[in-house]
Amino acid sequence: MEWEAVIGLEIHAELETNSKMFCRCPVVDVTVADPNTAVCVVCTGQPGVLPVINRRAVEFAIMVGLALNCEIADFNKFDRKNYFYPDLPKGYQISQYDYPIAKNGYLMIDLPDGSTKRIRIRRAHLEEDTAKNTHLSDGTSLVDFNRSGIPLLEIVTEPDIHSAEEAEAFGRKLRAILQYLGVNSGDMSKGVLRMEPNISVRPMGSDELRTRTEVKNLNSIRNMFRASEEEIKRQIKVWEAGGAVEQETRGWDEVRQTTVLQRSKESAHDYRYFPEPDLPVLHIAREWVEEIRARMPELPDAKRERYLGGYGLGAYDAGVLVADRAIGDYFEAAVKAGGDPKTVANWITGQIFRLMNQSGLEREQINEIPITPETLVALIGLIDNNTINNNTAKRVLDILYAEGGDPAAIVKAHGLAQETDTSILQQAIDDVLQANPSEIERWKNGEEKVAKFLMGQVMRALGGKADAQLIQQLLQESLTNFG
Ligand SMILES: [Zn+2]
């Protein structure tokens, strides 16, 4: 039987404002800050304190809502979501239950085959992040309240996603938008952005909804893709063996490359939501929404159109360059430094991505490589002025990637400049022809491909340091005149 996956995504994005959602504490990088140093009476849940809404967090939420083509609510209300857990000092989380700030939107995603697809956004609501628990091997648990109260936007899609590839495409596009808006770094390994797929499968062509599982603790988009792929396979196996998928929360085991049971859900939680009495109803004026809309930065789709039109790039290159804001910024800096857009795009998506993959860097980490956009343009300049050829440039790039430095200085230090003295080039050609009389006979009998072999011999004799086009031209002349 053919099966189809049905996936909805729940995304938690911290809004990287200066201060927390309901107090003045700074929003810090919780992976590096000393524990419990960015805390106060409000975000540690002391009795008698009052929360105050962070205007900037509301503004960030409106920006994301607009970027996701949502309706921005005029009437906003905050609610208490009650549950008991050590990471929640008040015993409740302030969230938005029945009146989310944004709803009924969509995001167009770009699929590997070049097509696009519309994924509906059900809602996005504001809430506060919880504290962070660390469980030690001796059985003790530690709580860090630095994260408690950081503004959080929860985004929920409709179950319009039907494969791991589509989930990945959605994740990449959404992350790019958050980065472009400057509201979230997109660093899933630090937990500031969390994506949780709800997955079920059904016979292809049916419209039933079967029991779904939720996969948590995914620290990269690549892992979300792999986890979705494996979870889909697992569920199909269960159904095909005559079993039934249980409603449960699963985690991703990176080592075994499989999803594992975290906890089963016996029943839905009763959070006893009720309106937060300490906060007033929040009305969002239409003028404010329009003012925010007017100063929204350029988003990935608009940037891609600009690259297609203005720079004459192909659709694939343009898509790859805008998928991460850091890549687009790097590309534009190189073009500004005088690089030809098409050539620069080729070097980034080819050689630089190759080196970054080898050293395990994610695309958004392009700023961490020792090759600046200006250095890349300088290297391309050495090809353009015939100092080195393309193959030598790749060798220079490898050295730059490992050690940094200046391309011209590296070419000089390693003796990589092309031989331009035509008498030396001619001598190398003559030597090769002298040594290969039978090949010349074959060439004279019409075997064109022999020229390629001889060309390779000449380039090898010159250590690869010659202008291939010039050699080809000289070789043709020499062959024609030989004997
Ligand atoms: Zn605080």
Side-chain angles (χ1 to χ4, degrees):
M1 196 196 316
E2 286 271 327
W3 293 86
E4 176 184 56
V6 181
I7 304 174
L9 282 176
E10 246 176 58
I11 300 104
H12 285 90
E14 281 183 1
L15 299 174
E16 293 174 336
T17 46
N18 293 326
S19 57
K20 290 187 179 178
M21 186 68 217
F22 300 114
C23 63
R24 288 182 167 183
C25 290
V27 169
V28 295
D29 181 344
V30 298
T31 60
V32 294
D34 285 336
N36 299 309
T37 50
V39 298
C40 72
V41 290
V42 175
C43 56
T44 53
Q46 307 302 313
V49 298
L50 286 174
V52 177
I53 299 170
N54 180 338
R55 180 188 168 97
R56 191 89 174 125
V58 176
E59 193 172 304
F60 279 5
I62 294 172
M63 285 165 71
V64 177
L66 290 173
L68 296 178
N69 306 293
C70 290
E71 301 161 15
I72 306 300
D74 168 16
F75 179 87
N76 277 268
K77 169 169 85 65
F78 287 92
D79 302 280
R80 289 187 180 181
K81 178 182 181 180
N82 298 279
Y83 66 96
F84 179 77
Y85 202 64
D87 64 9
L88 198 64
K90 298 193 294 286
Y92 60 85
Q93 179 188 31
I94 304 179
S95 182
Q96 292 185 303
Y97 180 54
D98 43 3
Y99 290 93
I101 189 164
K103 61 180 181 182
N104 300 335
Y106 66 87
L107 179 63
M108 299 301 292
I109 60 168
D110 310 288
L111 298 170
D113 66 0
S115 65
T116 58
K117 183 176 173 182
R118 177 191 287 241
I119 307 296
R120 289 171 298 158
I121 308 291
R122 182 181 299 168
R123 58 184 278 162
H125 67 257
L126 270 167
E127 57 189 30
E128 55 180 339
D129 211 344
T130 57
K132 195 171 190 290
N133 290 341
T134 305
H135 305 290
L136 303 181
S137 53
D138 67 0
T140 45
S141 292
L142 305 172
V143 191
D144 177 8
F145 289 99
N146 284 348
R147 201 177 72 177
S148 174
I150 290 180
L152 203 58
L153 189 70
E154 179 175 331
I155 304 164
V156 182
T157 76
E158 296 291 346
D160 292 347
I161 297 165
H162 293 301
S163 67
E165 286 79 12
E166 290 181 11
E168 180 186 7
F170 183 94
R172 290 201 183 283
K173 188 71 171 280
L174 177 67
R175 183 175 65 175
I177 286 173
L178 297 174
Q179 290 172 333
Y180 275 62
L181 292 172
V183 304
N184 184 288
S185 68
D187 192 343
M188 289 178 69
S189 68
K190 286 188 170 174
V192 298
L193 179 62
R194 312 186 293 259
M195 302 194 188
E196 286 150 11
N198 284 293
I199 302 174
S200 64
V201 297
R202 65 186 175 197
M204 187 71 85
S206 126
D207 57 5
E208 66 175 311
L209 288 175
R210 295 196 176 190
T211 307
R212 61 177 198 249
T213 61
E214 188 180 3
V215 186
K216 281 184 181 283
N217 300 338
L218 302 168
N219 62 5
S220 70
I221 288 180
R222 207 173 300 162
N223 276 349
M224 179 176 72
F225 169 76
R226 290 207 198 107
S228 302
E229 211 177 25
E230 291 306 315
E231 180 58 14
I232 292 165
K233 276 191 215 158
R234 187 191 70 84
Q235 291 188 10
I236 293 173
K237 233 187 215 166
V238 169
W239 290 119
E240 287 192 336
V245 170
E246 303 284 339
Q247 189 182 344
E248 59 197 22
T249 301
R250 301 181 68 85
W252 175 241
D253 185 329
E254 175 115 45
V255 178
R256 290 164 54 212
Q257 293 283 300
T258 180
T259 66
V260 289
L261 175 66
Q262 281 193 330
R263 64 170 189 269
S264 49
K265 266 184 191 165
E266 292 90 25
S267 60
H269 281 283
D270 179 8
Y271 291 119
R272 297 183 296 116
Y273 281 98
F274 66 86
E276 165 61 69
D278 289 341
L279 287 172
V281 160
L282 175 69
H283 284 284
I284 295 176
R286 293 303 89 188
E287 296 76 31
W288 191 28
V289 174
E290 290 316 310
E291 187 242 308
I292 290 168
R293 193 197 302 274
R295 59 182 160 83
M296 294 262 285
E298 184 185 45
L299 294 175
D301 283 347
K303 181 170 275 197
R304 187 172 67 170
E305 287 309 306
R306 185 159 60 80
Y307 285 4
L308 287 173
Y311 294 138
L313 298 184
Y316 173 77
D317 277 350
V320 170
L321 291 175
V322 303
D324 282 283
R325 186 178 175 176
I327 300 288
D329 289 348
Y330 189 97
F331 166 73
E332 290 194 36
V335 171
K336 208 172 165 195
D340 167 60
K342 251 188 122 48
T343 313
V344 168
N346 284 339
W347 277 90
I348 293 175
T349 59
Q351 299 304 316
I352 289 189
F353 281 0
R354 170 181 64 87
L355 291 165
M356 289 174 68
N357 283 344
Q358 279 171 7
S359 55
L361 286 185
E362 296 285 335
R363 299 270 164 92
E364 68 259 28
Q365 292 173 295
I366 194 167
N367 293 324
E368 293 169 28
I369 70 172
I371 305 167
T372 65
E374 292 74 20
T375 308
L376 176 63
V377 173
L379 177 66
I380 295 170
L382 295 178
I383 307 169
D384 291 344
N385 68 17
N386 278 322
T387 305
I388 53 175
N389 61 26
N390 246 326
N391 282 329
T392 307
K394 286 176 198 165
R395 285 172 63 190
V396 177
L397 193 79
D398 286 353
I399 298 169
L400 284 168
Y401 192 83
E403 303 165 6
D406 171 58
I410 288 171
V411 167
K412 205 169 171 203
H414 292 254
L416 293 172
Q418 296 192 133
E419 185 53 64
T420 49
D421 183 337
T422 42
S423 66
I424 291 175
L425 299 179
Q426 191 59 55
Q427 189 59 52
I429 291 169
D430 290 346
D431 290 348
V432 167
L433 294 188
Q434 295 285 356
N436 293 282
S438 59
E439 268 67 27
I440 294 163
E441 273 313 303
R442 287 167 60 196
W443 183 80
K444 285 191 168 163
N445 292 331
E447 278 190 63
E448 284 288 330
K449 65 173 195 269
V450 174
K452 219 170 186 176
F453 164 76
L454 294 170
M455 169 90 191
Q457 296 295 307
V458 176
M459 287 302 282
R460 214 164 81 181
L462 292 164
K465 294 177 285 183
D467 177 352
Q469 260 183 324
L470 177 61
I471 296 293
Q472 195 167 17
Q473 186 194 332
L474 291 173
L475 181 64
Q476 281 295 333
E477 284 168 16
S478 301
L479 275 169
T480 313
N481 300 331
F482 199 81

